[in-house]
Amino acid sequence: KGALLQLPLGATALDFAFEIHTDIGAKCIGAKVNHKLVPLSYKLQNGDQVEIITSGKQAPKEDWLNIVVTAKAKSKIKSSLKEEKRKVAEVGKETLERKMKSLKITYNTDNLNKLSYFFKLPSTQDLFIAVAEGKIEVKDLRDYLSSEKEIESRGNNEKTEQQQIESLLNKVKSPE
């Protein structure tokens, strides 16, 4: 619209989009600089006329963090990505809860932590995301369940062995 904006040296078309408005930056799919179509990573020059092309289906992407140079754009992209991750995790949480209920596994913090450890995931949020993305399915939960039962039975066997050893020791200590 003819407005002048000051951006730092090396700013890209994507930085410009976020400078105009966060929603415009988040939905940006391309840019025209001096009436020529350019990629989002195009470094702007002094006096460039920039037009941003948006789409309602676009969402910020992780690699955009490598393109932008302004702090405002970086923070807005990070917060959008975090919000998107939170939404995916929420869907995964609901799905996991249903799957655990169908397998008669109690849905509680202890079991969620055990599941995260079993699947070698750093947090329960990563567990929820993996479920939402289909990386962990009912079959995998059955594998977990069978490994838990195996550990439990091993523990019971160890207790039985311990009791046998104690019984033998008692016989040795007090001969009849």
Side-chain angles (χ1 to χ4, degrees):
K1 295 181 181 178
L4 290 175
L5 291 178
Q6 283 189 333
L7 294 168
L9 190 65
T12 63
L14 191 55
D15 283 306
F16 178 83
F18 275 99
E19 190 64 33
I20 296 170
H21 196 278
T22 303
D23 290 341
I24 292 174
K27 296 181 187 308
C28 181
I29 58 169
K32 284 185 179 180
V33 175
N34 300 325
H35 308 292
K36 291 187 179 118
L37 199 59
V38 296
L40 294 175
S41 59
Y42 177 83
K43 290 194 185 320
L44 299 173
Q45 305 297 315
N46 200 10
D48 280 344
Q49 283 188 346
V50 183
E51 181 182 337
I52 300 297
I53 303 165
T54 60
S55 169
K57 295 177 183 170
Q58 180 67 296
K61 296 180 177 38
E62 191 90 29
D63 63 329
W64 284 9
L65 292 169
N66 301 325
I67 296 172
V68 296
V69 296
T70 60
K72 177 182 180 179
K74 282 185 184 195
S75 71
K76 296 298 181 184
I77 292 169
K78 284 178 185 176
S79 68
S80 291
L81 291 172
K82 198 179 285 185
E83 180 63 24
E84 189 62 33
K85 220 177 186 183
R86 191 192 61 72
K87 286 179 185 174
V88 170
E90 195 62 39
V91 170
K93 182 179 181 179
E94 292 168 8
T95 306
L96 181 63
E97 200 169 347
R98 281 195 311 274
K99 287 180 180 182
M100 287 175 73
K101 193 174 186 178
S102 73
L103 292 171
K104 295 179 177 65
I105 303 173
T106 308
Y107 183 86
N108 60 26
T109 307
D110 188 42
N111 282 340
L112 291 176
N113 289 335
K114 285 179 182 177
L115 276 169
S116 296
Y117 180 77
F118 178 78
F119 292 112
K120 295 174 178 64
L121 296 168
S123 70
T124 53
Q125 184 180 24
D126 293 310
L127 175 69
F128 298 148
I129 291 170
V131 169
E133 292 174 346
K135 293 177 184 171
I136 296 175
E137 297 175 358
V138 174
K139 177 184 75 68
D140 302 315
L141 292 174
R142 283 193 187 110
D143 293 345
Y144 161 76
L145 200 57
S146 64
S147 76
E148 278 292 300
K149 286 179 181 173
E150 185 181 311
I151 289 169
E152 229 174 77
S153 69
R154 229 186 287 145
N156 290 339
N157 289 343
E158 287 173 9
K159 285 178 186 173
T160 307
E161 288 173 16
Q162 186 69 28
Q163 289 168 345
Q164 289 172 346
I165 292 169
E166 286 175 11
S167 159
L168 286 171
L169 284 173
N170 287 337
K171 284 182 184 177
V172 171
K173 286 180 184 174
S174 56
E176 293 172 19

